[in-house]
Amino acid sequence: MNRKDKEVIGYLVFNRVKINNANSISSPLTYGFPAVTGFLGAVHAMSRKLSQHDTLNHISLDGVLIACHDCQPQTYRANSYNDYTFNQTRNPIKKDGKTASIIEEGKCNLDITLAIEVLAEDALDVEDNHISQLIEQSQQWIMQQRIAGGSVTHISRYQPVRFVTEEDSDKLKPMLLPAFVLMNAQQDLIYITNNLRATNPKATELDALLDVCSLHHVPETDNKNKTTWHTRSAKTGRGWLVPMPIGYQGISDLFEPGVMQNTRNPEYPSQYVEAIYSLGKWVFPHRINELHNAFWHYQYDFNNELYLVTQTN
């Protein structure tokens, strides 16, 4: 059943979930916090389990709000002049004594709170005992499955999973504190791009993305011929901006099921894609006017071969 056939009846809130060794490399160009698709994929897996449940199969899960309390990339730097490097693990050798062909990834440890949209055809079809079962089952499932490639090691002992009705959605903000919510900052990227084009008409969105990651040291000379250096950044005054992947763009024809080799699931059509980048922003919950706009969803544009994660704003 499609989302348009259902309505949001409330939210599941997973309080202070600790994830060990999540994938810190979010795309070929960015690292730090995991990609949003890692969280949407975990919720989709949980929703599939609901569809197979005897009494909860009329309920599904959809959008995800991500609030981060702490993120610790597992990196090392010998001194302040060196670049950071990821702490890599030494994987066991094979029977023949050779090193296994495992591509080691960068890891991070997370402390997050997740709010997930709960959907049903009609709120009247969802009884109190259904909500109790949903809370109990989802608490088990989140401990059993991976999230962004990492293992869930702990969830808050105080009300680990709570259900908030749509009418009481204003109660969500206090539940997220103290944390920062990941928001889409595409408008900031457009603004920074336009500023660059004022001096360089050939500037692109990629130039703006690189400008956000840069610090510009600008010298200024006063009337006494004394030079003072000032540091300038494109994101000054615009909040906590971070480059992030927001989906994929198809770069090949769509292959029929089973044609492309080594795919994860040969039962579905496959396509070669490349990552699409934009800006994200970490925002304090009370600075978000409409918290409904903070939920990430899948969005597909098959005509333009776009597979995106977006927010309603």
Side-chain angles (χ1 to χ4, degrees), residues 58-71:
H58 59 299
I59 300 174
S60 60
L61 307 177
D62 193 56
V64 183
L65 179 151
I66 305 168
C68 181
H69 304 279
D70 188 32
C71 176

Side-chain angles (χ1 to χ4, degrees), residues 255-281:
F255 296 97
E256 294 296 324
V259 174
M260 186 185 295
Q261 296 182 359
N262 303 320
T263 57
R264 179 172 297 179
N265 193 332
E267 299 178 3
Y268 295 94
S270 304
Q271 187 177 24
Y272 289 104
V273 297
E274 285 188 351
I276 297 176
Y277 301 94
S278 184
L279 283 180
K281 179 187 290 188

Side-chain angles (χ1 to χ4, degrees), residues 19-23 74 89 106-110 146-151:
I19 304 173
N20 189 44
N21 288 336
N23 187 3
Q74 301 303 295
T89 59
K107 304 293 184 181
C108 66
N109 295 331
L110 299 174
R146 296 267 183 169
I147 298 181
S151 302

